[in-house]
């Protein structure tokens, strides 16, 4: 099939395809937070059956390596010095391959329907009547919390948990900060590192105690996982030492990491971190 550059060419291709053969299928598959052992059985089967896998930065190399050599791999994430493929471009890649009759696995970090634009990608298939399925994955909040020894709810600490986007530039006015700042509640911010100062200020302004325990989980469930415990007061200082992808977990459940931590990543971060922890605390204390 010739390259498709315009919507009308795409429509033409769809009609031709309907006249000739079967359309392919797109399966939106959650790859989980990083550890390949956290893939579902169905995700693994689809990775091994796909004609094409379209994946982004959050899908670990170990997971991509599970595909047979014959699978066409299409990377649509951001690489150093390059921009990621825009969402419309990703949609078009999915449509084009499905129109060629391929089984397309759209592999996404975590769960495709949690801050994953999975809904948008499926909506883009509707005009072409391309069949699709969705395979859920373990979302970062569940994976990181489990591997950091932080139960997101606990009868003595939190009766509810909320997942919030840290992409606050356009959405911060839509967030009900007063309801987030209540006690007995765990907050999990995705994509929050660069906004940690704003998160701290908004929560403190709405009555959350500066001493509220917090944990940042960096590259959760991977061999490079680091858990950085701190308090709301020191959140933005500690966040400067963390790298993406990281989750910010706020609430008294995060203290439990000190006794329930079980996962042993390659490096023992507690040794490395103990020095780092002293410095910011000293800074806050004005020392
Ligand atoms: C665009 S969202 C995608 C979330 C994904 N769909 C999920 O369900 O986990 C990306 C954000 O998820 C979080 N994240 C994903 N994987 C992570 C990991 N292994 N460790 C820590 N945070 C992670 C980070 O906050 C990252 O900025």
């Amino acid at each position: 099939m010739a390259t498709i550059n315009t919507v009308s060419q795409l429509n033409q291709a769809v009609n031709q395809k309907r006249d000739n053969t079967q359309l392919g299928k797109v399966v939106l598959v959650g790859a989980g937070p990083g550890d390949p052992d956290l893939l579902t059985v169905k995700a693994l089967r689809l990775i091994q059956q796909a004609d094409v896998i379209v994946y982004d930065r959050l899908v670990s190399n170990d997971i991509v390596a599970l595909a047979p050599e014959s699978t066409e791999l299409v990377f649509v994430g951001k690489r150093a010095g390059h921009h990621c493929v825009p969402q419309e471009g990703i949609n078009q890649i999915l449509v084009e391959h499905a129109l060629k009759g391929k089984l397309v696995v759209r592999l996404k970090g975590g769960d495709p329907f949690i801050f994953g634009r999975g809904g948008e990608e499926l909506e883009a298939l509707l005009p072409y009547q391309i069949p699709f399925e969705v395979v859920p994955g373990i979302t970062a909040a569940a994976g990181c919390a489990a591997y950091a020894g932080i139960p997101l709810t606990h009868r003595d600490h939190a009766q509810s948990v909320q997942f919030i986007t840290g992409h606050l530039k356009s959405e911060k006015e839509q967030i009900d900060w007063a309801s987030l700042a209540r006690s007995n509640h765990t907050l999990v911010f995705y994509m929050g590192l660069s906004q940690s100062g704003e998160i701290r200020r908004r929560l403190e302004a709405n009555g959350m105690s500066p001493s509220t325990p917090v944990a940042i989980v960096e590259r959760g469930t991977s061999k490079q996982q680091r858990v950085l415990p701190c308090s709301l007061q020191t959140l933005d200082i500690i966040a400067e030492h963390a790298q993406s992808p990281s989750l910010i977990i706020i609430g008294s459940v995060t203290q439990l990491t000190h006794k329930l931590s079980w996962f042993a990543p390659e490096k023992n971060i507690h040794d490395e971190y103990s020095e780092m922890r002293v410095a910011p605390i000293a800074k806050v204390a004005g020392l």
Side-chain angles (χ1 to χ4, degrees), residues 166-182:
H167 256 189
L168 299 179
K169 280 198 184 90
S170 53
E171 294 170 80
K172 68 182 167 211
E173 301 310 335
Q174 293 166 31
I175 292 177
D176 180 357
W177 291 96
S179 88
L180 295 188
R182 67 190 192 273

mmCIF file with all atom_site columns, all heavy atoms in Angstrom, residues 166-182:
data_model
loop_
_atom_site.group_PDB
_atom_site.id
_atom_site.type_symbol
_atom_site.label_atom_id
_atom_site.label_alt_id
_atom_site.label_comp_id
_atom_site.label_asym_id
_atom_site.label_entity_id
_atom_site.label_seq_id
_atom_site.pdbx_PDB_ins_code
_atom_site.Cartn_x
_atom_site.Cartn_y
_atom_site.Cartn_z
_atom_site.occupancy
_atom_site.B_iso_or_equiv
_atom_site.pdbx_formal_charge
_atom_site.auth_seq_id
_atom_site.auth_comp_id
_atom_site.auth_asym_id
_atom_site.auth_atom_id
_atom_site.pdbx_PDB_model_num
ATOM 1   N N   . GLY A 1 166 ? -0.076  15.221 37.680 1.00 0.00 ? 166 GLY A N   1
ATOM 2   C CA  . GLY A 1 166 ? 0.756   16.347 38.098 1.00 0.00 ? 166 GLY A CA  1
ATOM 3   C C   . GLY A 1 166 ? 0.978   17.330 36.961 1.00 0.00 ? 166 GLY A C   1
ATOM 4   O O   . GLY A 1 166 ? 1.684   18.322 37.118 1.00 0.00 ? 166 GLY A O   1
ATOM 5   N N   . HIS A 1 167 ? 0.398   17.053 35.825 1.00 0.00 ? 167 HIS A N   1
ATOM 6   C CA  . HIS A 1 167 ? 0.469   17.989 34.697 1.00 0.00 ? 167 HIS A CA  1
ATOM 7   C C   . HIS A 1 167 ? -0.439  19.153 35.007 1.00 0.00 ? 167 HIS A C   1
ATOM 8   O O   . HIS A 1 167 ? -1.568  19.213 34.532 1.00 0.00 ? 167 HIS A O   1
ATOM 9   C CB  . HIS A 1 167 ? -0.036  17.291 33.418 1.00 0.00 ? 167 HIS A CB  1
ATOM 10  C CG  . HIS A 1 167 ? 1.072   16.912 32.513 1.00 0.00 ? 167 HIS A CG  1
ATOM 11  N ND1 . HIS A 1 167 ? 0.854   16.450 31.248 1.00 0.00 ? 167 HIS A ND1 1
ATOM 12  C CD2 . HIS A 1 167 ? 2.413   16.932 32.680 1.00 0.00 ? 167 HIS A CD2 1
ATOM 13  C CE1 . HIS A 1 167 ? 2.023   16.188 30.683 1.00 0.00 ? 167 HIS A CE1 1
ATOM 14  N NE2 . HIS A 1 167 ? 2.971   16.458 31.541 1.00 0.00 ? 167 HIS A NE2 1
ATOM 15  N N   . LEU A 1 168 ? 0.046   20.062 35.846 1.00 0.00 ? 168 LEU A N   1
ATOM 16  C CA  . LEU A 1 168 ? -0.876  21.048 36.410 1.00 0.00 ? 168 LEU A CA  1
ATOM 17  C C   . LEU A 1 168 ? -1.010  22.305 35.564 1.00 0.00 ? 168 LEU A C   1
ATOM 18  O O   . LEU A 1 168 ? -1.861  23.136 35.839 1.00 0.00 ? 168 LEU A O   1
ATOM 19  C CB  . LEU A 1 168 ? -0.403  21.445 37.810 1.00 0.00 ? 168 LEU A CB  1
ATOM 20  C CG  . LEU A 1 168 ? -0.353  20.295 38.821 1.00 0.00 ? 168 LEU A CG  1
ATOM 21  C CD1 . LEU A 1 168 ? 0.155   20.802 40.155 1.00 0.00 ? 168 LEU A CD1 1
ATOM 22  C CD2 . LEU A 1 168 ? -1.724  19.676 39.001 1.00 0.00 ? 168 LEU A CD2 1
ATOM 23  N N   . LYS A 1 169 ? -0.191  22.423 34.534 1.00 0.00 ? 169 LYS A N   1
ATOM 24  C CA  . LYS A 1 169 ? -0.166  23.705 33.811 1.00 0.00 ? 169 LYS A CA  1
ATOM 25  C C   . LYS A 1 169 ? -1.568  24.146 33.410 1.00 0.00 ? 169 LYS A C   1
ATOM 26  O O   . LYS A 1 169 ? -1.982  25.251 33.671 1.00 0.00 ? 169 LYS A O   1
ATOM 27  C CB  . LYS A 1 169 ? 0.739   23.598 32.585 1.00 0.00 ? 169 LYS A CB  1
ATOM 28  C CG  . LYS A 1 169 ? 2.196   23.729 32.978 1.00 0.00 ? 169 LYS A CG  1
ATOM 29  C CD  . LYS A 1 169 ? 3.091   24.069 31.804 1.00 0.00 ? 169 LYS A CD  1
ATOM 30  C CE  . LYS A 1 169 ? 4.535   24.077 32.264 1.00 0.00 ? 169 LYS A CE  1
ATOM 31  N NZ  . LYS A 1 169 ? 5.197   22.794 32.146 1.00 0.00 ? 169 LYS A NZ  1
ATOM 32  N N   . SER A 1 170 ? -2.311  23.226 32.766 1.00 0.00 ? 170 SER A N   1
ATOM 33  C CA  . SER A 1 170 ? -3.636  23.631 32.293 1.00 0.00 ? 170 SER A CA  1
ATOM 34  C C   . SER A 1 170 ? -4.738  23.196 33.245 1.00 0.00 ? 170 SER A C   1
ATOM 35  O O   . SER A 1 170 ? -5.843  23.689 33.174 1.00 0.00 ? 170 SER A O   1
ATOM 36  C CB  . SER A 1 170 ? -3.862  23.011 30.917 1.00 0.00 ? 170 SER A CB  1
ATOM 37  O OG  . SER A 1 170 ? -3.628  21.634 31.017 1.00 0.00 ? 170 SER A OG  1
ATOM 38  N N   . GLU A 1 171 ? -4.417  22.254 34.149 1.00 0.00 ? 171 GLU A N   1
ATOM 39  C CA  . GLU A 1 171 ? -5.522  21.635 34.886 1.00 0.00 ? 171 GLU A CA  1
ATOM 40  C C   . GLU A 1 171 ? -5.594  21.991 36.368 1.00 0.00 ? 171 GLU A C   1
ATOM 41  O O   . GLU A 1 171 ? -6.499  21.549 37.054 1.00 0.00 ? 171 GLU A O   1
ATOM 42  C CB  . GLU A 1 171 ? -5.439  20.106 34.727 1.00 0.00 ? 171 GLU A CB  1
ATOM 43  C CG  . GLU A 1 171 ? -5.674  19.677 33.293 1.00 0.00 ? 171 GLU A CG  1
ATOM 44  C CD  . GLU A 1 171 ? -5.355  18.205 33.056 1.00 0.00 ? 171 GLU A CD  1
ATOM 45  O OE1 . GLU A 1 171 ? -6.194  17.387 33.385 1.00 0.00 ? 171 GLU A OE1 1
ATOM 46  O OE2 . GLU A 1 171 ? -4.271  17.902 32.541 1.00 0.00 ? 171 GLU A OE2 1
ATOM 47  N N   . LYS A 1 172 ? -4.615  22.824 36.853 1.00 0.00 ? 172 LYS A N   1
ATOM 48  C CA  . LYS A 1 172 ? -4.582  22.982 38.308 1.00 0.00 ? 172 LYS A CA  1
ATOM 49  C C   . LYS A 1 172 ? -5.832  23.653 38.869 1.00 0.00 ? 172 LYS A C   1
ATOM 50  O O   . LYS A 1 172 ? -6.221  23.407 39.987 1.00 0.00 ? 172 LYS A O   1
ATOM 51  C CB  . LYS A 1 172 ? -3.316  23.692 38.757 1.00 0.00 ? 172 LYS A CB  1
ATOM 52  C CG  . LYS A 1 172 ? -3.183  25.132 38.377 1.00 0.00 ? 172 LYS A CG  1
ATOM 53  C CD  . LYS A 1 172 ? -1.854  25.664 38.865 1.00 0.00 ? 172 LYS A CD  1
ATOM 54  C CE  . LYS A 1 172 ? -1.590  27.009 38.216 1.00 0.00 ? 172 LYS A CE  1
ATOM 55  N NZ  . LYS A 1 172 ? -0.196  27.260 38.011 1.00 0.00 ? 172 LYS A NZ  1
ATOM 56  N N   . GLU A 1 173 ? -6.486  24.497 38.053 1.00 0.00 ? 173 GLU A N   1
ATOM 57  C CA  . GLU A 1 173 ? -7.690  25.157 38.559 1.00 0.00 ? 173 GLU A CA  1
ATOM 58  C C   . GLU A 1 173 ? -8.875  24.189 38.614 1.00 0.00 ? 173 GLU A C   1
ATOM 59  O O   . GLU A 1 173 ? -9.878  24.469 39.242 1.00 0.00 ? 173 GLU A O   1
ATOM 60  C CB  . GLU A 1 173 ? -8.038  26.384 37.701 1.00 0.00 ? 173 GLU A CB  1
ATOM 61  C CG  . GLU A 1 173 ? -6.929  27.448 37.633 1.00 0.00 ? 173 GLU A CG  1
ATOM 62  C CD  . GLU A 1 173 ? -6.366  27.866 38.996 1.00 0.00 ? 173 GLU A CD  1
ATOM 63  O OE1 . GLU A 1 173 ? -7.076  27.725 40.006 1.00 0.00 ? 173 GLU A OE1 1
ATOM 64  O OE2 . GLU A 1 173 ? -5.200  28.312 39.048 1.00 0.00 ? 173 GLU A OE2 1
ATOM 65  N N   . GLN A 1 174 ? -8.769  23.073 37.897 1.00 0.00 ? 174 GLN A N   1
ATOM 66  C CA  . GLN A 1 174 ? -9.882  22.112 37.916 1.00 0.00 ? 174 GLN A CA  1
ATOM 67  C C   . GLN A 1 174 ? -9.756  21.116 39.072 1.00 0.00 ? 174 GLN A C   1
ATOM 68  O O   . GLN A 1 174 ? -10.628 20.291 39.283 1.00 0.00 ? 174 GLN A O   1
ATOM 69  C CB  . GLN A 1 174 ? -9.920  21.327 36.599 1.00 0.00 ? 174 GLN A CB  1
ATOM 70  C CG  . GLN A 1 174 ? -10.281 22.205 35.408 1.00 0.00 ? 174 GLN A CG  1
ATOM 71  C CD  . GLN A 1 174 ? -9.975  21.503 34.099 1.00 0.00 ? 174 GLN A CD  1
ATOM 72  O OE1 . GLN A 1 174 ? -10.039 20.290 34.011 1.00 0.00 ? 174 GLN A OE1 1
ATOM 73  N NE2 . GLN A 1 174 ? -9.644  22.272 33.081 1.00 0.00 ? 174 GLN A NE2 1
ATOM 74  N N   . ILE A 1 175 ? -8.627  21.175 39.767 1.00 0.00 ? 175 ILE A N   1
ATOM 75  C CA  . ILE A 1 175 ? -8.419  20.217 40.856 1.00 0.00 ? 175 ILE A CA  1
ATOM 76  C C   . ILE A 1 175 ? -8.995  20.788 42.148 1.00 0.00 ? 175 ILE A C   1
ATOM 77  O O   . ILE A 1 175 ? -8.775  21.956 42.471 1.00 0.00 ? 175 ILE A O   1
ATOM 78  C CB  . ILE A 1 175 ? -6.906  19.904 40.992 1.00 0.00 ? 175 ILE A CB  1
ATOM 79  C CG1 . ILE A 1 175 ? -6.451  19.122 39.759 1.00 0.00 ? 175 ILE A CG1 1
ATOM 80  C CG2 . ILE A 1 175 ? -6.602  19.153 42.271 1.00 0.00 ? 175 ILE A CG2 1
ATOM 81  C CD1 . ILE A 1 175 ? -4.979  18.808 39.725 1.00 0.00 ? 175 ILE A CD1 1
ATOM 82  N N   . ASP A 1 176 ? -9.722  19.949 42.874 1.00 0.00 ? 176 ASP A N   1
ATOM 83  C CA  . ASP A 1 176 ? -10.327 20.381 44.127 1.00 0.00 ? 176 ASP A CA  1
ATOM 84  C C   . ASP A 1 176 ? -9.312  20.142 45.250 1.00 0.00 ? 176 ASP A C   1
ATOM 85  O O   . ASP A 1 176 ? -9.312  19.091 45.895 1.00 0.00 ? 176 ASP A O   1
ATOM 86  C CB  . ASP A 1 176 ? -11.621 19.575 44.348 1.00 0.00 ? 176 ASP A CB  1
ATOM 87  C CG  . ASP A 1 176 ? -12.318 19.963 45.635 1.00 0.00 ? 176 ASP A CG  1
ATOM 88  O OD1 . ASP A 1 176 ? -11.776 20.806 46.391 1.00 0.00 ? 176 ASP A OD1 1
ATOM 89  O OD2 . ASP A 1 176 ? -13.407 19.412 45.900 1.00 0.00 ? 176 ASP A OD2 1
ATOM 90  N N   . TRP A 1 177 ? -8.431  21.121 45.456 1.00 0.00 ? 177 TRP A N   1
ATOM 91  C CA  . TRP A 1 177 ? -7.314  20.949 46.393 1.00 0.00 ? 177 TRP A CA  1
ATOM 92  C C   . TRP A 1 177 ? -7.811  20.755 47.818 1.00 0.00 ? 177 TRP A C   1
ATOM 93  O O   . TRP A 1 177 ? -7.206  20.024 48.602 1.00 0.00 ? 177 TRP A O   1
ATOM 94  C CB  . TRP A 1 177 ? -6.350  22.141 46.300 1.00 0.00 ? 177 TRP A CB  1
ATOM 95  C CG  . TRP A 1 177 ? -5.628  22.155 44.990 1.00 0.00 ? 177 TRP A CG  1
ATOM 96  C CD1 . TRP A 1 177 ? -5.972  22.856 43.873 1.00 0.00 ? 177 TRP A CD1 1
ATOM 97  C CD2 . TRP A 1 177 ? -4.468  21.390 44.630 1.00 0.00 ? 177 TRP A CD2 1
ATOM 98  N NE1 . TRP A 1 177 ? -5.097  22.582 42.841 1.00 0.00 ? 177 TRP A NE1 1
ATOM 99  C CE2 . TRP A 1 177 ? -4.161  21.692 43.284 1.00 0.00 ? 177 TRP A CE2 1
ATOM 100 C CE3 . TRP A 1 177 ? -3.658  20.484 45.312 1.00 0.00 ? 177 TRP A CE3 1
ATOM 101 C CZ2 . TRP A 1 177 ? -3.082  21.121 42.615 1.00 0.00 ? 177 TRP A CZ2 1
ATOM 102 C CZ3 . TRP A 1 177 ? -2.575  19.914 44.648 1.00 0.00 ? 177 TRP A CZ3 1
ATOM 103 C CH2 . TRP A 1 177 ? -2.304  20.235 43.319 1.00 0.00 ? 177 TRP A CH2 1
ATOM 104 N N   . ALA A 1 178 ? -8.929  21.391 48.166 1.00 0.00 ? 178 ALA A N   1
ATOM 105 C CA  . ALA A 1 178 ? -9.436  21.258 49.541 1.00 0.00 ? 178 ALA A CA  1
ATOM 106 C C   . ALA A 1 178 ? -9.808  19.804 49.817 1.00 0.00 ? 178 ALA A C   1
ATOM 107 O O   . ALA A 1 178 ? -9.526  19.267 50.895 1.00 0.00 ? 178 ALA A O   1
ATOM 108 C CB  . ALA A 1 178 ? -10.641 22.168 49.735 1.00 0.00 ? 178 ALA A CB  1
ATOM 109 N N   . SER A 1 179 ? -10.397 19.145 48.825 1.00 0.00 ? 179 SER A N   1
ATOM 110 C CA  . SER A 1 179 ? -10.786 17.745 49.078 1.00 0.00 ? 179 SER A CA  1
ATOM 111 C C   . SER A 1 179 ? -9.555  16.840 49.093 1.00 0.00 ? 179 SER A C   1
ATOM 112 O O   . SER A 1 179 ? -9.527  15.829 49.787 1.00 0.00 ? 179 SER A O   1
ATOM 113 C CB  . SER A 1 179 ? -11.829 17.269 48.062 1.00 0.00 ? 179 SER A CB  1
ATOM 114 O OG  . SER A 1 179 ? -11.209 16.754 46.920 1.00 0.00 ? 179 SER A OG  1
ATOM 115 N N   . LEU A 1 180 ? -8.503  17.226 48.358 1.00 0.00 ? 180 LEU A N   1
ATOM 116 C CA  . LEU A 1 180 ? -7.275  16.405 48.383 1.00 0.00 ? 180 LEU A CA  1
ATOM 117 C C   . LEU A 1 180 ? -6.568  16.508 49.727 1.00 0.00 ? 180 LEU A C   1
ATOM 118 O O   . LEU A 1 180 ? -5.900  15.564 50.152 1.00 0.00 ? 180 LEU A O   1
ATOM 119 C CB  . LEU A 1 180 ? -6.295  16.864 47.291 1.00 0.00 ? 180 LEU A CB  1
ATOM 120 C CG  . LEU A 1 180 ? -6.711  16.694 45.828 1.00 0.00 ? 180 LEU A CG  1
ATOM 121 C CD1 . LEU A 1 180 ? -5.543  17.011 44.916 1.00 0.00 ? 180 LEU A CD1 1
ATOM 122 C CD2 . LEU A 1 180 ? -7.193  15.281 45.565 1.00 0.00 ? 180 LEU A CD2 1
ATOM 123 N N   . ALA A 1 181 ? -6.703  17.669 50.358 1.00 0.00 ? 181 ALA A N   1
ATOM 124 C CA  . ALA A 1 181 ? -5.913  17.918 51.579 1.00 0.00 ? 181 ALA A CA  1
ATOM 125 C C   . ALA A 1 181 ? -6.504  17.251 52.813 1.00 0.00 ? 181 ALA A C   1
ATOM 126 O O   . ALA A 1 181 ? -5.973  17.408 53.908 1.00 0.00 ? 181 ALA A O   1
ATOM 127 C CB  . ALA A 1 181 ? -5.793  19.429 51.792 1.00 0.00 ? 181 ALA A CB  1
ATOM 128 N N   . ARG A 1 182 ? -7.570  16.487 52.671 1.00 0.00 ? 182 ARG A N   1
ATOM 129 C CA  . ARG A 1 182 ? -8.192  15.895 53.861 1.00 0.00 ? 182 ARG A CA  1
ATOM 130 C C   . ARG A 1 182 ? -7.344  14.738 54.404 1.00 0.00 ? 182 ARG A C   1
ATOM 131 O O   . ARG A 1 182 ? -6.513  14.176 53.689 1.00 0.00 ? 182 ARG A O   1
ATOM 132 C CB  . ARG A 1 182 ? -9.622  15.446 53.568 1.00 0.00 ? 182 ARG A CB  1
ATOM 133 C CG  . ARG A 1 182 ? -9.751  14.293 52.615 1.00 0.00 ? 182 ARG A CG  1
ATOM 134 C CD  . ARG A 1 182 ? -11.241 14.118 52.231 1.00 0.00 ? 182 ARG A CD  1
ATOM 135 N NE  . ARG A 1 182 ? -11.504 12.886 51.544 1.00 0.00 ? 182 ARG A NE  1
ATOM 136 C CZ  . ARG A 1 182 ? -11.395 12.716 50.240 1.00 0.00 ? 182 ARG A CZ  1
ATOM 137 N NH1 . ARG A 1 182 ? -10.979 13.713 49.474 1.00 0.00 ? 182 ARG A NH1 1
ATOM 138 N NH2 . ARG A 1 182 ? -11.668 11.551 49.670 1.00 0.00 ? 182 ARG A NH2 1
#
